Amino acid sequence: MTTDVQRHLDARIREIGLDLFERAAEAMPRPWQKAWWLEQVTQFVERDARFKTGAYEFVECLPSLRDDAAIARHLFEYLDPKNVPMPATLHRLMGPGPLRGMRESVIGSMARFGAEQMAGRFIAGHDPRSALRTIERLRNQGMTFTLDVLGEFVTSPAQADRYVQSYVDLIEQITPVARAWSPLPILDEDDEGPMPRVNLSIKLTGLDPFFDPIDPARSIEHVGARLRPLLRKARKAGAFVNVDMESTQYRRLALDLFKSVMMEDEFRDWSDVGIVVQAYLTDGERDLRELIEWRTQRGYRFAIRLVKGAYWDAETAGAARARRTPPVWMRKWESDACFERMARTMLACTAEIRPTFASHNVRTLAFVLAEAERLRLSPKQYELQNLYGMGDPLKAAVVGTGRCLRVYLPCGALMPGMGYLIRRLLENSSNEGFLKQAFTERASHERLLLDPAAARPSSAALPTRRYRDTVPEDSMSSFVNAANTSFTSQDNRRKMIGAIEYVRGEFGREYPLLIGGEAISTEVRHDSVNPAKPSEVVGRVCLASTADADRAVAAAYKAFRDWRTTSATDRAALLRKVADRLEMRRFEFAAGMILECGKPWREADGDVTEAIDHCRYYAEQIERIESRPRRRDLPGEENVLVYSPKGVVAVISPWAFPLAIMGGMSAAALAAGNTVVIKPAGHASVTAAKFVQVCHDVGFPPGVVNFLPGEGASVGAHLVEHADVQVVAFTGSDVVGMAVLQSGARVRPGQAYIKKMIVEMGGHNAIIIDDDADLDRAVQAVIDSAFVQAGQKCSSCSRAVVLAGVYDSFCERIVEAARCVPIGPAEAPATVVGPLIEKEEMQRVLRHIERATAEARLLHRGELPAECEGGYFVPPTIIADVDPSSPLAGEEIFGPVLSIMRAADFQEAIDIANQTRYALTGGLFSRSPAHIERARRDFAVGNLYINRRIIGSQVDAQPFGGFKLSGTGVKAGSPDYLLHYMDARCITENTLRSGLVPDESQTNLA
Ligand SMILES: Cc1cc2nc3c(=O)[nH]c(=O)nc-3n(C[C@H](O)[C@H](O)[C@H](O)COP(=O)(O)OP(=O)(O)OC[C@H]3O[C@@H](n4cnc5c(N)ncnc54)[C@H](O)[C@@H]3O)c2cc1C
C-alpha cells in the first residue's frame, strides 16, 4: 500500500471513528432509563477491587443457593464488612444485630433481584418465548441476531442431548415467527440475496462430553454425531449455523470437525454456515489462511466471524501453569493490530467468504469500515456484530450509519450461563478493554483511534497487562517444573504412538540386576506383563536372591565411602543429566508405563514429568543446603549446622507411580550423598531397569546405584533387616508398610544405627461436595479422581461425601457422567479407566464390589468393551447410600470404585471425611468462603485440594504425602524432604586461639 493510500485510510479511520463516537454519545443512556441505573450499579461495584471480586464471586454462586438464609450467609462471607468497604446502609443490613430472619429475607430478595437485573443485561431470555421478545425489540431498533444457548462443557450425553434440544426448540419456535416478519432489506439480505432470518451460534464442547484433542478421531465421531442432526434441522428450517471458537485446546478439533462435516455431500453446498477465528492468537492468521484455502477445495461460500477472543485470562494462566508459551498475544495492541491484518485479508476475499466482524472497539470497527470503503465494498458484503448488553450506545451508532448489525444473544438458564456472565462482567470492567476506556473513563477519542501498531512505542496509549509467570516475586522457590506433553499437538500424538510401537519391539527383552556397576543375570526371572493383555511379556527381569541383596548392600556400602565426599555440585550435575535423558526419552518411558502398568497416556506422561522434576528439584535443593549452611556464630565461637548423608538407602517402590516415586526416592537419596539399592515392584521392574540404566549411562560411579528386583517377602524384607542399610525409603500398601516399619525398628547385631524409616502408604480419600458447589465441575473432578488409572493412585478418590441438599442431583449427574468414561487398554489415547495391575487385584476389587452391593445401593456399573477381554479390567462402579460407619466405608480399595455418602450438614461431612485411618489426599467443592476456611483447618489430610480434582500434584508447588496411617509424614517434593536422608550435625569451633580474636570486628569484646 502506498503512503498516500495509507494516509488516506488513516484519515478515514479517524473520521469514521469520530463519527461513531459522536453518534454513540447521543445514544448514551439517561438517568430515566434502566440502562443508566445498571451502569451506575456496575460502576459502584467496580470502585473497589475487593468489593468487585467479592460481588462477582457471590453472583457466580448465587443460582446454586436454595433459600434466603443461604444467600444472606454467602453474601456476608463474600462481602464481610470487616474486610470489604461498603456503604453504611449495606453495612447495617449485613452486620450483626436483631431481626436476623427478616434481614435475611430482605438481603435474599435484594440479591436475587440485583443478580437477575445484571444477568438480564447480558442474557436475552431464559426460553425461546422470552428470547423472541428481545429479538423483536432489537429488530424494531434495526438489529438482527444470532442465538446462543448458554452452557459451556457437558459432563454427560444426557446433558449434551438437552443442549441440542434447546437449539431444536429455538429453531422450531422462532423460525415460523421469523418467516412472518415484514422484510427489512438491511437485515434480511446480503450481497447474494436473502439471508436466513434465524441465526444460531453453537459451542462444540456442548455437544458431547468427549471432546478431547488426545483422540481427535473419537472426538469428531462423538461430536459429529450430535452436530449433523442439528445442522440438518437448521438447514431444513432455513436457519444459519455458526460454530463458535472456544479455548485453544479445542481449536484444532473445531477447525477439523467443521471442515470435515462441511465437506460431506449433505452439507457441502450449504453456504449458511460459519466459524470463528480469533485474532488474539499468535497464529490466528494461519487459521484464517487455512480456512480461505479450504474454501477453494469446498467450492461453496461460508461465513467467517473475526473476534479478538474471549479467554485471554484463562489462556495466559493455563499456559503459565503448564509452562508453555502462551498461545495469545501478550500485549493488547498486538491483538488489535492482528485483528486489523486479519480483517484486511477477509475483506479482500468477499467473493470466497462472507466476512463478519465482532468487536465493540470503535477503532477496530472504524478500520473495518474504512478498509471496506477503500476496497469499494457494499455494506451488504460484510457484517458487524456485537454482544447483547455490551456497548449499547455503540450499537445505536452503527445502526445509525445504516449498516446491518447482528447481536449475539445468549439465552437459557442462569446457572449454565454463569461462566458467560462472569466473562462479560470482567470484559466490561477490564482496564485494557476498550469499552471501559471509552465509555467509563472517557479517554480521549483521538488517543483511542490511534493505529494500534503505531501506538506501540508509546505503550501508555493503551496500558498493557503483564504476563503472570508461574513464579511470583514473593514466592519462596524459583523452581520451574518440567512441562507435560500437550497432546493437542499431532506431532506429540504421533511420537507417543511411535514410542508404543518401539516399546512393543522390545517386548520379551531380558533385564539383569546391576550390582557394583556389573550387570548380573540370574536363573530365576519374572515376566512383567501388559495387564491389559497378560499374554504380552513386556520384559523378563532377573530376580535377585538374598545373597544378591547382601552383595548389593556391600557394593553400595563400599561406594558410599567416596560418594559421600563428592560435592553437591557434582551430584546435582549427574541428577540433572538423568533428568535431561528422561526428558529426551519421555515418550519411550511413558509408553513403557502404558504397556507395563496400564497407565493412560496423560498419567504416564505426568509420571515422567514428575520424575524429571524430582531429579532437578533435589539437585537444586542439595546445592542450596550445602552452599548455605545455617550459621550462628557467638563471640569467639563459630557454629554451623551441617547435614551429612546417612549411608546405604534401600528404595522399595510401588508400581502405581513406576518412575516418579522410584526415581524420586532414589534421586533424593543420591542427591543427599547416599548410595541406593533399588528394589522396584515386580509389575514396574522394566521401567525401573531402564531408569537404572540411565543412571549408569550418565556416569554414576559403580555401586552408587544398584538394581535389585526381587520378591518383596524375601529380598525386600532382607534389605529392610540388613544391618548396613541405614535408610529404608518405602512406598506401598499399609499392610507391607507397617511390617517394614516394625522390622526396621529392630536393631540387629552389627547394626550401629537406628534406621531411618521413610514409609509412605495408602489413603481412603474423600471429596466433600457442599450444597453450593458447582455440580458440573464437581462431578467431572470426582469422576477423574476416582476412575483415572482405574482408581489405582494413592491419591485417588474412593469416597464422595455429599451434602443432603445436593445428594440426589449429584448422584443423578455422576451416573450420567460415568456412563461415558472411556474404558479400555491404556494404549488407546482416550482411555481413562485402564486395567488393574494383576489378576489377584482384579479379583479382590470384584469381591469388594460384591460385598458393597449387598450392603448399599449399586448406582452404576460400567460395561467393559470387547477390547478388555482377557485383561485385568474392573468396570467403574459407584455405590450410593454407603453408611459412613460400616466397615465397607473404611476400607482402602485401590480400584475404580466410588462410595457415595450423605452428610446432613457441613460439619458432618468433615467428620465423615476424617473418619478413616488415613490422611493422604482430600478434596472439597464449595463456594462458601467460611466452609473453605473450615476445611483448611479441620480436614485432616496431607494434601487438600479445593474446587479441583485431587490427583496430579506438582513437585515443589504441592509437596506430596500424608500422615496418620498414610505415612510417616514426610513430604516428597518439598524443601524439607532431603533432610530425611541426612544426619544433622552441629559443629562448634573455638576461634579464640590463646586469647587471639581472629576477626577484627570482634575486638570490642576484650
Ligand atoms: C458477536 C460476537 C461473537 C463472539 N464470538 C466469540 C467466539 O466464538 N469466541 C471467542 O473467543 N470470543 C467471541 N467473542 C468475544 C470476543 O472475543 C470479545 O468480546 C472480544 O475479544 C472483545 O474485543 P473488542 O474488540 O470488543 O474489545 P477490546 O477492548 O478492543 O479488546 C479486548 C480483547 O483484547 C484481547 N486482550 C485483552 N488484554 C490483552 C493483552 N494484554 N494482550 C493481548 N490481547 C489482549 C482479548 O481478546 C480481549 O477480549 C464474540 C464477540 C462478539 C461480539
Side-chain angles (χ1 to χ4, degrees), residues 146 203 242-246 276 278 280 305 307-312 328-336 339 358-361 364 385-387 390 406-408 424 427 430 432-435 463-465:
T146 179
K203 290 194 171 51
N242 190 82
V243 172
D244 282 358
M245 196 55 80
E246 299 170 68
V276 172
Q278 295 158 317
Y280 72 173
R305 178 199 296 156
V307 302
K308 282 173 198 160
Y311 308 87
W312 191 87
V328 290
W329 299 110
M330 295 313 299
R331 282 163 299 189
K332 169 73 167 62
W333 67 264
E334 292 174 312
S335 295
D336 293 340
F339 190 103
S359 171
H360 310 98
N361 182 322
T364 305
Q385 302 188 349
N386 272 192
L387 295 175
M390 303 257 307
R406 189 175 299 282
V407 181
Y408 188 93
R424 293 294 77 85
E427 192 172 328
S430 152
E432 283 183 79
F434 182 88
L435 285 176
T464 287
R465 245 186 294 177

Side-chain angles (χ1 to χ4, degrees), residues 55-74:
Y56 286 4
E57 284 177 351
F58 169 70
V59 168
E60 201 257 339
C61 81
L62 186 61
S64 66
L65 305 178
R66 260 144 261 274
D67 52 36
D68 288 342
I71 294 177
R73 176 168 68 81
H74 281 74

Side-chain angles (χ1 to χ4, degrees), residues 211-287:
F211 195 51
D212 186 341
I214 204 164
D215 192 342
R218 187 184 168 116
S219 303
I220 288 178
E221 185 196 322
H222 278 230
V223 175
R226 277 199 194 79
L227 178 64
R228 283 187 199 88
L230 182 57
L231 293 177
R232 230 166 263 146
K233 178 99 195 164
R235 186 169 192 182
K236 197 155 167 238
F240 182 102
V241 177
N242 190 82
V243 172
D244 282 358
M245 196 55 80
E246 299 170 68
S247 54
T248 33
Q249 58 169 322
Y250 304 117
R251 175 182 50 155
R252 188 66 262 156
L253 274 181
L255 288 170
D256 287 347
L257 178 65
F258 179 77
K259 285 175 14 186
S260 88
V261 172
M262 292 306 159
M263 283 301 272
E264 291 170 9
D265 289 347
E266 189 181 0
F267 303 114
R268 188 166 176 171
D269 61 352
W270 188 27
S271 291
D272 296 329
V273 287
I275 189 162
V276 172
V277 287
Q278 295 158 317
Y280 72 173
L281 296 179
T282 49
D283 49 11
E285 286 174 278
R286 200 192 55 192
D287 293 347

